[in-house]
Amino acid sequence: MSENTSTRTGALGDLKKMFGSGSSNLRQFGILFSLIAIILLFQYLTDGLTLSSGNLINLVSQYSYILILAIGMVMVIIAGHIDLSVGSVAAFVGIVVATAMRDWNFPWPLAILLGLVVGMLIGAWQGAWVAYVGVPAFIVTLAGMLIFRGGNQVIGNANTVPVPDGFTIIGSGYLPEVGPNTGFNNLTLLLGLIIVLAVVASEWRARRVQKIMGSTPAPLWASIVKVVLLCAVIVYASVLFAGGRVGTSFPVSGIILGVLVLFYAFVTRNTIFGRHVYAVGGNKLAAELSGVKSRRVNFLVMMNMSILAALAGMIFVARSVASGPQDGLSWELDAIAAVFIGGAAVSGGIGTVVGSIIGGLVMAVLNNGLQLLGVGSDWVQIIKGMVLLVAVGVDVWNKSQGRPSIIGLLTRKKKTTEFPAEPPLVVPDTGTPESARPPATRPN
Amino acid sequence: MSPDHVILEMRSITKEFPGVKALSDVSITVKRGEIHAICGENGAGKSTLMKVLSGVYPAGTYTGDIIYQGQNVHFKDIRSSEEAGIVIIHQELALIPELSITENIFLGNEPTKWGAIDWITAKKTALELLARVGLRDNPDTLIKNIGVGKQQLVEIAKALNKSVKVLILDEPTAALNESDSMHLLDLIRGLKGKGISSIMISHKLNEIEQVADSITIIRDGKTIETLDVVADGVNEDRIIRGMVGRSLESRFPDRTPHIGEVFFEVRDWTVQHPQIAERMVVKRSSLNVRKGEIVGIAGLMGAGRTELAMSIFGRSYGNFISGHLYKDGKEIVLRSVADAIDHGLAYVSEDRKALGLNLLDDVKRSVVSAKLSKISSGPVVNDSKEFGIAEEYRKSLRIKTPSVNAGVSKLSGGNQQKVVLAKWMFTDPDLLILDEPTRGIDVGAKYEIYGIIQQLAEQGKGVILISSELPELLGLADRIYTVFEGAITDCIPAESADPETLMKSMTSARKKVQSI
Ligand SMILES: Nc1ncnc2c1ncn2[C@@H]1O[C@H](COP(=O)(O)OP(=O)(O)OP(=O)(O)O)[C@@H](O)[C@H]1O
Ligand SMILES: [Mg+2]
């Protein structure tokens, strides 16, 4: 029977298998597919400007902090909450750190540490309200949004506070030039190479695990095609990143983001804590009756979000060389949008870190592409809103049809045609019901 | 049989889910004013067939014909089947707890006058409907304040309001106690007298034998046979033979108990209702369990059995007031479920959907979810161990699923129950508390589960078995406590227990039980 269904979806089925099995993977595949489509579209519309070195580097350093927020936000949303305060928390931490360096002469590494600690304290404060007092996160973080935005203005007197040079590395630094002059940034190339090796290794491992688990892995050719495609993309990207204007290369903030993605993808997928986050969001009562300490989970998830918000705030401040009262305005919306485009469910229990990153990239590329085309920010907002609505709408609609995501839409037509044509509405002759009865084995 | 005696015919229904053919070429014929039972093992496809009929799975998602009152019909949703007079009552009741009986009956179907809801008519009609189903409660009572048995009746009243011609009941008595079940079955018989046909799914074969006129047996998604209860002289054994394909010699596996010492004790356990401070749901209850012993707990619905069990299990219900727990001679304090699990307790909830499972999870994740530390190194879960363990349980409990990677929401009710059992067996408990463990489980699987319970006892574990089915308690338990209104009223050794004595102790506060 399973063979039956896989042959039915045919080549597209194999294509889907290339990106792993399981519904969450299929969904991610759908979003990835849209991301690629959007990139190609803008590449065409901007005459190749989208995939130029300068633009890519700019893209990463401009959106890394939103993506960092999305990592924390997806965990909050999986657990069944929301965090509206991230933008304000980022701004608050930014001003605290900037002030600490200017007025209290904190050396910048210590200032970063201070920022993280402040983020942690804020997170503990909000987490306690959510987890132990039981106030809905929507309310707690709505309050936090006001409190910390105000806090930013109190500390900075509603002014901007500049930050010293050393600190700006995390926001506008690049991988340094080392080794022989190849015309490219060597470290970036090396990074690309490491990723390529990692991709090959992980695919090999995934195939082995799939075999152990008895699920039929995709045919070998599919694996190879997948790995070759992915590696080609990585090599192409690293060459682009490495070949930018002299002095630029892969941004430090991108590296921070990459490390965080790997770490949190692992935490959510492979650790007990990660399982507990999904359990609490999926069915809190059942989770509690399985020994999950749901309050602790909620507390930690909220706290983690604020720590990441603090980090994002500092990166932003480092990039713009000063902290100001308008920092982080409406970041929460971008982060939340990224998570939902990435396939998370409003009701909790569903979502992935990688999906959210892809969702965030969709938003980033869209924003960036529209800007390159010179579209005004009014229209950018309208378009982004529509994309969010359509992406989640397609997802919800497909789920109600029992098919995953956008790719489901593509395979849908195919499947319905394979059902026999609808029988006529009224059968002309009902016949004798006896004749249609199954042969009944009468007992003697 | 002439066609106008037939109200409904489903012909060659085939329904596939990804990877599963739930129904293949199934046909049933329901006569006007008959009670038609559908029997089959867990996962046979009974619920799926009824969902096809009632439009939950709309026309186009299955193949085959539904001929209803001589017309080939294509329902596109539940509403359209209801308009035609086919009403399904799902096992998970679809009432809104915060609304009153009247409001629930008319939900989505409100009588209006000048565009506003006409509550006077509504209440009048509600009273009439309630009288028809034999419910004497005030129609303003909120649903959450009446028991499951009465909720079931409200569902039927709601169906009657929609001028139902074919009433589908998916395991209607699974959550009911004996007297509520009897009442419900009487009601269905009464409806039959008024020309309403009922299709009933149930694993309680004795009930089917009592009320059904004909029985269709489904096995592995195929129609096996249709029996006429009177003409074919059908009895329980005959139904089982059709369902399982062979006869079952006995309903309970043989067992010689090897009972050791008392290792678990509850003393003077008192628990307060979580909201109502004056109400004690468990009152100074004491009980003990020996190694290798199966201890039954009998009581009516609402007697406080579940409350007792859950409050012991890491205070997961109500406000703990007083009492002591002893395990292996030492007092233990279980402040949380995690504590309870660490001390070797396990509790299989009676409500698998709300309390037992995360329906978003797949089978393998569910199985290991109560003791992830067992398959983890440090904080990291080992995926392949998880898979291996889930596979083991799938095989040993015969969980019917295309793979352990399938979502638990896609399993049939009985197989979900097996997943919950597996989940708690995996924690390797010393004391396993089972709350209605065979609710909604077919005879064959029941036998298997009884075997598993006995096996656990044989390994020297203690089992507390809460059940509303007296035969189950009598067949399995070594000793039975009876509970009435939150207090333990008696403790009866299996040898001297029979339904009458149990019933008596379950319905009256007799003496305070002395420990034996
Ligand atoms: N939404 C779904 N997706 C995939 N498979 C499903 C879905 N619903 C049911 N199935 C499968 O179809 C088969 C029949 O399920 P169904 O719920 O009809 O069984 P049942 O006869 O009602 O069993 P039970 O007595 O346990 O309630 C099972 O193998 C089940 O796993
Ligand atoms: Mg069922």
Side-chain angles (χ1 to χ4, degrees):
Chain A
M1 271 177 293
S2 53
E3 223 151 84
N4 193 1
T5 40
S6 72
T7 49
R8 176 137 22 90
T9 37
L12 258 170
D14 273 345
L15 201 59
K16 280 196 264 185
K17 262 198 169 166
M18 270 167 49
F19 291 85
S21 51
S23 57
S24 67
N25 280 330
L26 290 190
R27 199 202 295 252
Q28 269 172 33
F29 176 63
I31 311 155
L32 189 60
F33 190 81
S34 346
L35 176 62
I36 294 170
I38 291 176
I39 292 177
L40 293 180
L41 177 71
F42 280 114
Q43 174 75 354
Y44 171 74
L45 290 177
T46 60
D47 285 331
L49 219 55
T50 299
L51 288 181
S52 65
S53 292
N55 188 51
L56 272 189
I57 292 169
N58 181 34
L59 192 77
V60 170
S61 57
Q62 197 181 344
Y63 291 99
S64 55
Y65 42 87
I66 296 288
L67 296 178
I68 289 175
L69 290 178
I71 297 174
M73 193 64 82
V74 71
M75 293 172 72
V76 169
I77 286 173
I78 292 169
H81 308 291
I82 196 98
D83 192 334
L84 301 177
S85 70
V86 291
S88 296
V89 171
F92 181 79
V93 170
I95 201 92
V96 167
V97 169
T99 313
M101 287 186 289
R102 188 189 63 178
D103 297 353
W104 313 327
N105 293 321
F106 269 55
W108 66 265
L110 199 64
I112 292 179
L113 200 66
L114 172 74
L116 294 176
V117 170
V118 171
M120 192 174 82
L121 290 176
I122 293 174
W125 157 260
Q126 301 201 119
W129 281 98
V130 172
Y132 297 106
V133 185
V135 180
F138 187 91
I139 305 295
V140 172
T141 58
L142 185 61
M145 190 176 172
L146 298 169
I147 294 169
F148 299 111
R149 175 65 56 194
N152 166 294
Q153 288 161 10
V154 168
I155 292 179
N157 286 324
N159 282 325
T160 44
V161 177
V163 291
D165 269 355
F167 184 77
T168 58
I169 284 183
I170 59 168
S172 47
Y174 301 99
L175 283 180
E177 298 284 355
V178 288
N181 186 351
T182 52
F184 288 99
N185 179 280
N186 294 331
L187 276 181
T188 303
L189 291 180
L190 184 67
L191 184 68
L193 186 67
I194 293 172
I195 298 174
V196 164
L197 292 177
V199 164
V200 174
S202 83
E203 177 65 15
W204 184 72
R205 191 179 162 273
R207 285 187 67 87
R208 228 187 33 186
V209 169
Q210 271 182 351
K211 254 185 216 139
I212 296 174
M213 299 207 186
S215 61
T216 35
L220 191 63
W221 69 261
S223 266
I224 292 173
V225 169
K226 170 185 170 185
V227 167
V228 167
L229 272 177
L230 264 176
C231 292
V233 169
I234 295 163
V235 168
Y236 182 59
S238 23
V239 169
L240 278 180
F241 278 113
R245 196 159 45 75
V246 179
T248 65
S249 63
F250 195 71
V252 171
S253 59
I255 294 189
I256 298 176
L257 171 67
V259 171
L260 290 174
V261 170
L262 287 179
F263 176 73
Y264 280 99
F266 182 79
V267 166
T268 48
R269 231 190 339 228
N270 298 319
T271 67
I272 296 182
F273 176 71
R275 293 293 178 90
H276 285 179
V277 175
Y278 282 96
V280 168
N283 184 346
K284 181 155 169 276
L285 294 175
E288 284 172 352
L289 268 186
S290 308
V292 175
K293 296 187 165 146
S294 63
R295 292 178 173 192
R296 220 186 56 167
V297 170
N298 288 335
F299 178 79
L300 289 176
V301 161
M302 294 305 292
M303 186 163 88
N304 178 63
M305 177 75 258
S306 293
I307 296 174
L308 289 177
L311 184 59
M314 289 189 286
I315 290 178
F316 179 78
V317 167
R319 183 168 182 272
S320 39
V321 225
S323 164
Q326 301 296 319
D327 291 0
L329 221 49
S330 78
W331 281 6
E332 59 281 344
L333 302 182
D334 282 335
I336 292 168
V339 170
F340 286 124
I341 291 179
V346 182
S347 50
I350 296 176
T352 59
V353 168
V354 174
S356 307
I357 292 299
I358 300 175
L361 285 175
V362 167
M363 289 298 244
V365 172
L366 201 67
N367 229 339
N368 172 268
L370 291 171
Q371 273 168 12
L372 288 182
L373 289 175
V375 177
S377 72
D378 42 1
W379 278 101
V380 171
Q381 289 191 45
I382 294 174
I383 294 173
K384 271 164 67 178
M386 289 305 293
V387 166
L388 172 65
L389 201 58
V390 169
V392 177
V394 166
D395 211 40
V396 168
W397 185 74
N398 269 308
K399 234 188 300 176
S400 72
Q401 310 285 315
R403 327 201 104 253
S405 204
I406 296 164
I407 197 69
L409 195 66
L410 296 168
T411 47
R412 188 175 162 70
K413 274 234 178 62
K414 208 157 162 276
K415 182 164 179 184
T416 37
T417 51
E418 280 176 42
F419 272 110
E422 289 243 330
L425 211 74
V426 180
V427 168
D429 174 27
T430 24
T432 56
E434 285 289 2
S435 62
R437 276 185 72 165
T441 47
R442 300 265 165 192
N444 32 14
Chain B
M1 176 168 43
S2 82
D4 44 309
H5 283 143
V6 173
I7 181 156
L8 170 81
E9 207 192 326
M10 296 179 80
R11 279 191 203 158
S12 315
I13 303 290
T14 298
K15 165 87 190 158
E16 268 182 58
F17 295 110
V20 190
K21 203 167 196 177
L23 297 172
S24 80
D25 207 13
V26 171
S27 305
I28 69 167
T29 306
V30 180
K31 283 172 259 175
R32 220 174 273 280
E34 79 163 346
I35 298 176
H36 193 112
I38 298 184
C39 292
E41 296 186 293
N42 294 128
K46 306 177 295 290
S47 299
T48 306
L49 185 64
M50 291 305 107
K51 286 179 186 165
V52 165
L53 175 56
S54 56
V56 174
Y57 300 134
T61 62
Y62 59 87
T63 62
D65 296 327
I66 301 175
I67 291 139
Y68 175 61
Q69 297 185 318
Q71 295 264 316
N72 199 336
V73 288
H74 305 267
F75 297 128
K76 60 177 198 300
D77 53 20
I78 308 188
R79 232 197 143 85
S80 54
S81 69
E82 280 181 353
E83 269 158 22
I86 299 178
V87 182
I88 184 164
I89 299 181
H90 291 283
Q91 192 187 334
E92 299 81 32
L93 300 178
L95 298 172
I96 299 184
E98 298 294 334
L99 293 184
S100 72
I101 295 180
T102 315
E103 284 166 323
N104 266 288
I105 290 180
F106 292 97
L107 194 66
N109 203 6
E110 295 86 354
T112 52
K113 200 170 180 183
W114 312 111
I117 298 180
D118 180 3
W119 284 120
I120 298 173
T121 315
K123 243 177 234 169
K124 240 172 57 197
T125 325
L127 273 174
E128 284 164 28
L129 291 168
L130 291 184
R132 278 177 74 188
V133 298
L135 193 61
R136 276 183 293 277
D137 287 57
N138 183 337
D140 290 335
T141 321
L142 297 190
I143 285 294
K144 64 175 180 185
N145 295 333
I146 63 176
V148 226
K150 289 181 177 174
Q151 291 180 10
Q152 195 77 257
L153 297 178
V154 173
E155 282 272 19
I156 294 182
K158 193 173 165 186
L160 291 177
N161 183 46
K162 290 173 187 154
S163 48
V164 57
K165 296 196 185 82
V166 176
L167 183 64
I168 307 170
L169 302 120
D170 194 349
E171 303 193 33
T173 59
L176 302 192
N177 64 30
E178 222 139 314
S179 66
D180 281 347
S181 298
M182 282 307 132
H183 184 90
L184 183 77
L185 296 176
D186 280 343
L187 177 65
I188 298 172
R189 268 201 215 105
L191 294 181
K192 170 180 149 183
K194 303 207 170 64
I196 296 176
S197 316
S198 299
I199 303 179
M200 185 172 129
I201 298 176
S202 176
H203 290 292
K204 297 187 176 172
L205 302 183
N206 56 339
E207 293 175 356
I208 289 192
E209 189 190 337
Q210 284 169 38
V211 300
D213 299 304
S214 41
I215 302 174
T216 296
I217 293 176
I218 299 180
R219 196 197 305 155
D220 291 332
K222 299 188 187 73
T223 330
I224 298 300
E225 53 188 347
T226 297
L227 305 170
D228 189 304
V229 174
V230 180
D232 298 341
V234 171
N235 59 17
E236 277 186 59
D237 289 336
R238 177 66 193 81
I239 305 176
I240 294 173
R241 186 138 46 89
M243 282 170 60
V244 198
R246 63 191 156 84
S247 16
L248 279 181
E249 285 78 37
S250 67
R251 223 51 77 70
F252 298 95
D254 286 330
R255 156 169 179 259
T256 352
H258 299 284
I259 296 176
E261 335 223 281
V262 171
F263 82 104
F264 185 81
E265 229 186 312
V266 180
R267 266 192 225 150
D268 293 329
W269 199 251
T270 303
V271 176
Q272 189 184 53
H273 190 279
Q275 276 97 40
I276 310 164
E278 315 83 69
R279 214 168 115 202
M280 295 300 153
V281 283
V282 179
K283 299 171 197 150
R284 296 183 65 79
S285 298
S286 301
L287 61 85
N288 59 40
V289 184
R290 298 182 180 129
K291 286 197 164 130
E293 187 182 36
I294 302 176
V295 173
I297 296 188
L300 299 178
M301 200 75 48
R305 299 166 302 173
T306 297
E307 289 79 355
L308 172 65
M310 285 181 69
S311 59
I312 293 173
F313 188 61
R315 303 183 184 170
S316 47
Y317 176 88
N319 298 324
F320 171 78
I321 296 293
S322 63
H324 303 273
L325 300 177
Y326 301 88
K327 191 173 165 240
D328 300 318
K330 281 196 292 276
E331 172 150 20
I332 53 172
V333 181
L334 309 177
R335 288 210 171 75
S336 68
V337 173
D339 282 352
I341 295 174
D342 286 343
H343 278 90
L345 268 66
Y347 169 69
V348 175
S349 160
E350 61 179 334
D351 190 340
R352 61 179 163 255
K353 290 231 163 96
L355 303 177
L357 291 171
N358 174 3
L359 291 172
L360 299 172
D361 254 352
D362 53 24
V363 173
K364 60 179 191 310
R365 283 176 170 232
S366 306
V367 169
V368 297
S369 62
K371 199 138 193 173
L372 281 169
S373 57
K374 224 171 123 181
I375 52 156
S376 306
S377 25
V380 179
V381 180
N382 183 330
D383 282 351
S384 44
K385 265 193 202 159
E386 168 183 88
F387 179 84
I389 282 161
E391 269 296 303
E392 263 170 47
Y393 281 107
R394 183 181 67 81
K395 286 185 194 125
S396 66
L397 300 189
R398 301 216 273 140
I399 300 170
K400 198 178 164 206
T401 170
S403 106
V404 292
N405 297 319
V408 282
S409 63
K410 310 222 158 121
L411 265 52
S412 77
N415 285 299
Q416 287 179 345
Q417 182 69 15
K418 288 187 185 174
V419 172
V420 180
L421 266 180
K423 165 175 164 180
W424 288 106
M425 283 167 67
F426 173 68
T427 65
D428 195 21
D430 301 321
L431 176 71
L432 181 63
I433 308 173
L434 300 165
D435 199 349
E436 307 281 3
T438 61
R439 174 177 290 174
I441 288 207
D442 71 54
V443 269
K446 255 185 199 164
Y447 187 87
E448 286 169 17
I449 286 174
Y450 295 153
I452 292 164
I453 295 174
Q454 295 182 344
Q455 225 175 311
L456 291 172
E458 205 48 42
Q459 292 162 16
K461 300 179 188 306
V463 177
I464 295 180
L465 173 67
I466 300 173
S467 175
S468 297
E469 287 183 50
L470 293 184
E472 187 167 285
L473 286 175
L474 292 166
L476 276 182
D478 302 310
R479 204 149 50 89
I480 302 173
Y481 287 97
T482 53
V483 182
F484 174 70
E485 292 189 341
I488 288 184
T489 53
D490 212 346
C491 175
I492 309 168
E495 305 85 65
S496 50
D498 58 61
E500 285 73 42
T501 50
L502 281 180
M503 250 342 221
K504 217 179 271 166
S505 308
M506 282 158 60
T507 48
S508 61
R510 265 207 327 199
K511 56 192 173 196
K512 205 180 161 294
V513 64
Q514 70 275 26
S515 273
I516 45 169

